[in-house]
Amino acid sequence: MNLLIKSATVIDPASPFNKQVTDILIKDGVITEIGASLTADAETIDAKGKYLAPGFFDLNCNIGELGLETKEDLQTGTAAAAAGGFTGIALTPNTHPPVHSKAEVEYLLNRASNNLVDIYPLGTISNKREGKDMAEMYDMYKSGAKAFTDGNRPVQDAGLMERAMLYVQGFGAKVISYPEDTSIAGKAKVHEGVVSTMLGMKGIPSLAEELMIARDLYLAEDTGSEIHFTTISTERSVELIREAKRKGLKVTCDVAVHNLILTDQALMGFDSLYKVKPPLRTQRDADALINGLKDGTIDAIVSQHTPHEIEFKDVEFEVAEYGIIGLQTAFSLAIKAGLPLELIVEKLSVNPRKILNIEVPVIAKGQQANFVLLDTEAEWEYTRGVNRSKSYNSPFMGQNLKGKVLFTCNNDQLSKF
């Protein structure tokens, strides 16, 4: 692939051309020249007024393989990822069977080879995600698993979590915590507050999340381990992690992009498309999450892409499954949240890779071409026609969104949108 990008504004904190308007020449997947007024016998893209950034990376992506391919398979999942500007995705082990041995890790890596989007399977902490015995974490790590989580099943056993934190220290992996105390959350479906009371529905208290964060922070401090919290959603959670960072604990966290712009007010119509977990909280929580991104408390933004067949969402709210698809809308929603582009790139491109100790792509001469070309002003309609996912469970379907992904490039492959 030979490609010449003209007059793009580079947004990459590690690039010597950061915030500069320049031309970029790519040959056989490698950036060979960067400078003004470049010419070449190559496909040319006019990028005037557009932004070139390292490809996005999603730390929390659910794809059906293994066993749940009717929701999403690797082909459709990576197509949706590329259309959303993602050149790398970490796959949660919420599959059947779960990714709890090296066999599943190696299968996924083999299935996803030679793809524009790089795949990073996350292994389970516990065998079969049952929360009882540790899974074969070292074997999975040797096969390519970068971190370990029980996905959307929080580890309730503090002893198991402590042993996992200590165990992974021996080979430099990381434990990811989905913070929820199920004994407090119970079988509730929405955030506990004014809206849940008005709707007559049992609520999930913020305490269910915050108590688990406090527990795992204590464990991380006692063991000297690294810990990453995924999809935090409350004001107090941000405060707990901010204080932990001040104390010098090795803690990172991410937030689902929809929790930045949606609140529990969206549930007033009992629309199951807004049923997510952690639940949509209050405007005060959303504001705290945005402030946490801006001050560095929250390290990354995730799509929490969770596809479902129609029969699991187009039902009564109480019995509907949790989750929305989010890969293609993540950038637009981050724009809608009022985040500056430089911060979006930091939270979607740079920090997620740093958290998993993956090399961060750099827009510089001699580097592999791994980038996304963005138009922050372009508007587009998210319809079934442009949706690349196998599923359609998004409350943003049919809406006009601002901020468009134009091109995604990685592994000597280019996708245009």
mmCIF file of all heavy atoms in Angstrom, residues 3-5 17 22-27 30-40 52 363-367:
data_model
loop_
_atom_site.group_PDB
_atom_site.id
_atom_site.type_symbol
_atom_site.label_atom_id
_atom_site.label_comp_id
_atom_site.label_asym_id
_atom_site.label_seq_id
_atom_site.Cartn_x
_atom_site.Cartn_y
_atom_site.Cartn_z
ATOM 1 N N LEU A 3 0.574 5.377 -0.016
ATOM 2 C CA LEU A 3 -0.433 6.366 0.322
ATOM 3 C C LEU A 3 0.231 7.692 0.674
ATOM 4 O O LEU A 3 1.229 7.723 1.408
ATOM 5 C CB LEU A 3 -1.259 5.863 1.517
ATOM 6 C CG LEU A 3 -2.403 6.726 2.010
ATOM 7 C CD1 LEU A 3 -3.525 6.760 0.981
ATOM 8 C CD2 LEU A 3 -2.930 6.185 3.342
ATOM 9 N N LEU A 4 -0.320 8.775 0.156
ATOM 10 C CA LEU A 4 0.169 10.112 0.484
ATOM 11 C C LEU A 4 -0.987 10.909 1.084
ATOM 12 O O LEU A 4 -2.012 11.127 0.448
ATOM 13 C CB LEU A 4 0.687 10.822 -0.765
ATOM 14 C CG LEU A 4 1.174 12.271 -0.566
ATOM 15 C CD1 LEU A 4 2.320 12.332 0.442
ATOM 16 C CD2 LEU A 4 1.585 12.887 -1.893
ATOM 17 N N ILE A 5 -0.807 11.316 2.323
ATOM 18 C CA ILE A 5 -1.808 12.119 3.026
ATOM 19 C C ILE A 5 -1.330 13.558 3.020
ATOM 20 O O ILE A 5 -0.238 13.875 3.502
ATOM 21 C CB ILE A 5 -2.007 11.608 4.469
ATOM 22 C CG1 ILE A 5 -2.442 10.136 4.455
ATOM 23 C CG2 ILE A 5 -3.030 12.458 5.210
ATOM 24 C CD1 ILE A 5 -2.500 9.502 5.823
ATOM 25 N N PHE A 17 5.983 15.943 15.157
ATOM 26 C CA PHE A 17 5.122 16.790 14.326
ATOM 27 C C PHE A 17 3.787 17.076 15.009
ATOM 28 O O PHE A 17 2.837 17.503 14.350
ATOM 29 C CB PHE A 17 4.890 16.127 12.962
ATOM 30 C CG PHE A 17 6.144 15.934 12.169
ATOM 31 C CD1 PHE A 17 6.872 14.764 12.272
ATOM 32 C CD2 PHE A 17 6.612 16.939 11.328
ATOM 33 C CE1 PHE A 17 8.044 14.580 11.541
ATOM 34 C CE2 PHE A 17 7.782 16.767 10.596
ATOM 35 C CZ PHE A 17 8.504 15.580 10.711
ATOM 36 N N THR A 22 1.065 18.842 8.048
ATOM 37 C CA THR A 22 2.150 18.263 7.268
ATOM 38 C C THR A 22 1.613 17.198 6.319
ATOM 39 O O THR A 22 0.461 16.787 6.386
ATOM 40 C CB THR A 22 3.220 17.657 8.205
ATOM 41 O OG1 THR A 22 4.359 17.256 7.449
ATOM 42 C CG2 THR A 22 2.679 16.457 8.964
ATOM 43 N N ASP A 23 2.487 16.747 5.410
ATOM 44 C CA ASP A 23 2.189 15.628 4.522
ATOM 45 C C ASP A 23 2.846 14.368 5.079
ATOM 46 O O ASP A 23 3.934 14.433 5.671
ATOM 47 C CB ASP A 23 2.709 15.881 3.111
ATOM 48 C CG ASP A 23 2.093 17.119 2.475
ATOM 49 O OD1 ASP A 23 1.078 17.614 3.003
ATOM 50 O OD2 ASP A 23 2.636 17.586 1.453
ATOM 51 N N ILE A 24 2.208 13.234 4.852
ATOM 52 C CA ILE A 24 2.751 11.954 5.328
ATOM 53 C C ILE A 24 2.714 10.960 4.178
ATOM 54 O O ILE A 24 1.660 10.721 3.581
ATOM 55 C CB ILE A 24 1.931 11.403 6.519
ATOM 56 C CG1 ILE A 24 1.970 12.384 7.702
ATOM 57 C CG2 ILE A 24 2.466 10.051 6.958
ATOM 58 C CD1 ILE A 24 0.756 13.260 7.796
ATOM 59 N N LEU A 25 3.864 10.385 3.877
ATOM 60 C CA LEU A 25 3.972 9.375 2.813
ATOM 61 C C LEU A 25 4.155 8.001 3.444
ATOM 62 O O LEU A 25 5.024 7.814 4.303
ATOM 63 C CB LEU A 25 5.139 9.687 1.887
ATOM 64 C CG LEU A 25 5.391 8.691 0.751
ATOM 65 C CD1 LEU A 25 4.188 8.625 -0.198
ATOM 66 C CD2 LEU A 25 6.660 9.052 -0.017
ATOM 67 N N ILE A 26 3.346 7.058 2.998
ATOM 68 C CA ILE A 26 3.376 5.694 3.529
ATOM 69 C C ILE A 26 3.632 4.733 2.383
ATOM 70 O O ILE A 26 2.956 4.766 1.352
ATOM 71 C CB ILE A 26 2.040 5.358 4.218
ATOM 72 C CG1 ILE A 26 1.797 6.314 5.400
ATOM 73 C CG2 ILE A 26 2.012 3.917 4.700
ATOM 74 C CD1 ILE A 26 0.363 6.450 5.767
ATOM 75 N N LYS A 27 4.623 3.873 2.552
ATOM 76 C CA LYS A 27 4.939 2.832 1.574
ATOM 77 C C LYS A 27 5.024 1.491 2.284
ATOM 78 O O LYS A 27 5.742 1.347 3.269
ATOM 79 C CB LYS A 27 6.258 3.138 0.868
ATOM 80 C CG LYS A 27 6.203 4.359 -0.039
ATOM 81 C CD LYS A 27 7.520 4.539 -0.790
ATOM 82 C CE LYS A 27 7.444 5.732 -1.749
ATOM 83 N NZ LYS A 27 8.717 5.923 -2.501
ATOM 84 N N VAL A 30 4.666 1.476 6.062
ATOM 85 C CA VAL A 30 5.634 2.197 6.884
ATOM 86 C C VAL A 30 5.634 3.673 6.483
ATOM 87 O O VAL A 30 5.557 4.008 5.303
ATOM 88 C CB VAL A 30 7.053 1.610 6.731
ATOM 89 C CG1 VAL A 30 8.071 2.418 7.531
ATOM 90 C CG2 VAL A 30 7.070 0.150 7.170
ATOM 91 N N ILE A 31 5.701 4.556 7.472
ATOM 92 C CA ILE A 31 5.811 5.985 7.203
ATOM 93 C C ILE A 31 7.237 6.273 6.734
ATOM 94 O O ILE A 31 8.194 6.120 7.495
ATOM 95 C CB ILE A 31 5.483 6.814 8.460
ATOM 96 C CG1 ILE A 31 4.052 6.528 8.927
ATOM 97 C CG2 ILE A 31 5.669 8.302 8.191
ATOM 98 C CD1 ILE A 31 3.693 7.167 10.252
ATOM 99 N N THR A 32 7.376 6.665 5.476
ATOM 100 C CA THR A 32 8.713 6.871 4.917
ATOM 101 C C THR A 32 9.135 8.336 4.875
ATOM 102 O O THR A 32 10.328 8.650 4.902
ATOM 103 C CB THR A 32 8.800 6.280 3.495
ATOM 104 O OG1 THR A 32 7.787 6.885 2.678
ATOM 105 C CG2 THR A 32 8.589 4.765 3.533
ATOM 106 N N GLU A 33 8.166 9.249 4.800
ATOM 107 C CA GLU A 33 8.497 10.669 4.768
ATOM 108 C C GLU A 33 7.396 11.464 5.459
ATOM 109 O O GLU A 33 6.211 11.136 5.347
ATOM 110 C CB GLU A 33 8.638 11.180 3.322
ATOM 111 C CG GLU A 33 9.819 10.603 2.554
ATOM 112 C CD GLU A 33 11.163 11.111 3.055
ATOM 113 O OE1 GLU A 33 11.198 12.162 3.728
ATOM 114 O OE2 GLU A 33 12.171 10.432 2.793
ATOM 115 N N ILE A 34 7.818 12.505 6.159
ATOM 116 C CA ILE A 34 6.882 13.486 6.718
ATOM 117 C C ILE A 34 7.464 14.867 6.458
ATOM 118 O O ILE A 34 8.626 15.131 6.794
ATOM 119 C CB ILE A 34 6.664 13.285 8.233
ATOM 120 C CG1 ILE A 34 6.095 11.892 8.527
ATOM 121 C CG2 ILE A 34 5.719 14.349 8.783
ATOM 122 C CD1 ILE A 34 5.813 11.644 9.996
ATOM 123 N N GLY A 35 6.678 15.722 5.848
ATOM 124 C CA GLY A 35 7.187 17.059 5.546
ATOM 125 C C GLY A 35 6.208 17.842 4.696
ATOM 126 O O GLY A 35 5.091 17.387 4.421
ATOM 127 N N ALA A 36 6.625 18.992 4.254
ATOM 128 C CA ALA A 36 5.771 19.867 3.451
ATOM 129 C C ALA A 36 5.911 19.563 1.969
ATOM 130 O O ALA A 36 6.992 19.181 1.493
ATOM 131 C CB ALA A 36 6.136 21.328 3.717
ATOM 132 N N SER A 37 4.820 19.710 1.226
ATOM 133 C CA SER A 37 4.799 19.628 -0.239
ATOM 134 C C SER A 37 5.406 18.339 -0.769
ATOM 135 O O SER A 37 6.168 18.330 -1.733
ATOM 136 C CB SER A 37 5.536 20.834 -0.837
ATOM 137 O OG SER A 37 4.963 22.042 -0.377
ATOM 138 N N LEU A 38 5.074 17.196 -0.146
ATOM 139 C CA LEU A 38 5.563 15.908 -0.633
ATOM 140 C C LEU A 38 4.801 15.503 -1.889
ATOM 141 O O LEU A 38 3.608 15.796 -2.040
ATOM 142 C CB LEU A 38 5.391 14.826 0.441
ATOM 143 C CG LEU A 38 6.162 14.990 1.749
ATOM 144 C CD1 LEU A 38 5.906 13.795 2.663
ATOM 145 C CD2 LEU A 38 7.652 15.158 1.499
ATOM 146 N N THR A 39 5.511 14.831 -2.796
ATOM 147 C CA THR A 39 4.891 14.265 -3.995
ATOM 148 C C THR A 39 5.324 12.823 -4.126
ATOM 149 O O THR A 39 6.439 12.453 -3.724
ATOM 150 C CB THR A 39 5.290 15.036 -5.261
ATOM 151 O OG1 THR A 39 6.726 15.008 -5.395
ATOM 152 C CG2 THR A 39 4.816 16.484 -5.189
ATOM 153 N N ALA A 40 4.449 12.001 -4.696
ATOM 154 C CA ALA A 40 4.780 10.582 -4.864
ATOM 155 C C ALA A 40 3.749 9.934 -5.777
ATOM 156 O O ALA A 40 2.625 10.434 -5.936
ATOM 157 C CB ALA A 40 4.814 9.874 -3.513
ATOM 158 N N LEU A 52 -4.872 13.673 12.046
ATOM 159 C CA LEU A 52 -4.287 12.339 11.987
ATOM 160 C C LEU A 52 -3.761 11.977 13.369
ATOM 161 O O LEU A 52 -2.933 12.694 13.937
ATOM 162 C CB LEU A 52 -3.139 12.307 10.965
ATOM 163 C CG LEU A 52 -2.675 10.921 10.538
ATOM 164 C CD1 LEU A 52 -3.701 10.283 9.601
ATOM 165 C CD2 LEU A 52 -1.315 10.986 9.848
ATOM 166 N N ILE A 363 3.367 8.665 15.080
ATOM 167 C CA ILE A 363 3.370 9.206 13.718
ATOM 168 C C ILE A 363 4.712 9.888 13.499
ATOM 169 O O ILE A 363 4.911 11.067 13.821
ATOM 170 C CB ILE A 363 2.192 10.164 13.519
ATOM 171 C CG1 ILE A 363 0.872 9.396 13.718
ATOM 172 C CG2 ILE A 363 2.233 10.776 12.120
ATOM 173 C CD1 ILE A 363 -0.358 10.263 13.697
ATOM 174 N N ALA A 364 5.658 9.110 12.995
ATOM 175 C CA ALA A 364 7.019 9.593 12.774
ATOM 176 C C ALA A 364 7.658 8.753 11.678
ATOM 177 O O ALA A 364 7.226 7.628 11.392
ATOM 178 C CB ALA A 364 7.849 9.502 14.059
ATOM 179 N N LYS A 365 8.682 9.301 11.064
ATOM 180 C CA LYS A 365 9.375 8.612 9.978
ATOM 181 C C LYS A 365 9.968 7.300 10.476
ATOM 182 O O LYS A 365 10.570 7.236 11.544
ATOM 183 C CB LYS A 365 10.480 9.504 9.412
ATOM 184 C CG LYS A 365 11.190 8.914 8.208
ATOM 185 C CD LYS A 365 12.220 9.888 7.648
ATOM 186 C CE LYS A 365 12.950 9.285 6.449
ATOM 187 N NZ LYS A 365 13.936 10.238 5.871
ATOM 188 N N GLY A 366 9.777 6.246 9.676
ATOM 189 C CA GLY A 366 10.301 4.939 10.011
ATOM 190 C C GLY A 366 9.374 4.087 10.856
ATOM 191 O O GLY A 366 9.652 2.907 11.086
ATOM 192 N N GLN A 367 8.249 4.658 11.305
ATOM 193 C CA GLN A 367 7.308 3.923 12.142
ATOM 194 C C GLN A 367 6.246 3.229 11.292
ATOM 195 O O GLN A 367 5.927 3.661 10.188
ATOM 196 C CB GLN A 367 6.627 4.878 13.124
ATOM 197 C CG GLN A 367 7.577 5.535 14.101
ATOM 198 C CD GLN A 367 8.157 4.551 15.096
ATOM 199 O OE1 GLN A 367 7.434 3.729 15.666
ATOM 200 N NE2 GLN A 367 9.465 4.621 15.292
#
